[in-house]
């Protein structure tokens, strides 16, 4: 899903100009730029919160301290649109057979996780 997030996934459903801007911001690693921050807020209403303004429960869950942001960035990466932290290379597919309890995987229609990942 990482490779397709800027092409065929939810981001791929955006106008091509917006996709091009996101790609350029990603290449520049311009995560603190005003444009990136604005894109993050707007796209968050489409793909994360699915509403605007964001509900209080989501706002409370967001990292508010420098330490919290550092932990989040270390796991997810600086970008909300392409994963880049330690989770980028984490893959437990080969160990799934070790799970002995029933597991239910779910995703929403507008989830950032692609259907093919869950299937």
């Amino acid at each position: 899903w990482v490779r397709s997030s800027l092409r065929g996934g939810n981001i791929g459903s955006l106008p091509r100009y917006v996709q091009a801007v996101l790609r350029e911001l990603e290449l520049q690693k311009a995560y603190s730029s005003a444009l990136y921050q604005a894109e993050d807020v707007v796209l968050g209403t489409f793909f994360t919160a699915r509403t605007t303004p964001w509900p209080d429960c989501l706002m409370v869950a967001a990292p508010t301290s420098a330490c919290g942001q550092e932990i989040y960035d270390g796991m997810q990466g600086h970008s909300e649109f392409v994963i880049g932290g330690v989770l980028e290379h984490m893959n437990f597919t080969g160990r799934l057979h070790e799970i002995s309890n029933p597991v239910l995987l779910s995703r929403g229609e507008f989830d950032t996780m692609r259907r093919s990942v869950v299937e």
Side-chain angles (χ1 to χ4, degrees):
W1 72 277
V2 173
R3 290 184 194 95
S4 67
S5 62
L6 286 175
R7 291 192 313 263
N10 284 339
I11 301 299
S13 68
L14 298 170
R16 289 186 179 158
Y17 171 76
V18 176
Q19 293 179 52
V21 169
L22 288 173
R23 276 190 210 96
E24 185 60 32
L25 291 168
E26 290 291 334
L27 287 172
Q28 294 175 11
K29 300 189 182 310
Y31 309 121
S32 60
S33 73
L35 181 55
Y36 183 89
Q37 295 298 318
E39 292 280 4
D40 188 36
V41 170
V42 171
L43 294 177
T45 63
F46 291 125
F47 302 121
T48 304
R50 298 290 301 155
T51 187
T52 188
W54 286 25
D56 292 340
C57 60
L58 186 56
M59 296 303 294
V60 169
T64 56
S65 69
C67 179
Q69 190 64 50
E70 183 179 345
I71 292 168
Y72 182 86
D73 289 350
M75 293 177 67
Q76 162 70 32
H78 298 289
S79 170
E80 286 299 315
F81 310 113
V82 178
I83 195 164
V86 296
L87 296 177
E88 177 180 10
H89 302 291
M90 189 173 287
N91 185 343
F92 290 104
T93 304
R95 296 185 60 196
L96 292 178
H97 68 277
E98 296 176 27
I99 300 173
S100 59
N101 294 324
V103 175
L104 172 65
L105 296 176
S106 64
R107 64 172 284 285
E109 179 180 355
F110 301 103
D111 200 317
T112 55
M113 184 182 298
R114 304 278 64 78
R115 170 180 277 164
S116 61
V117 173
V118 175
E119 291 173 347

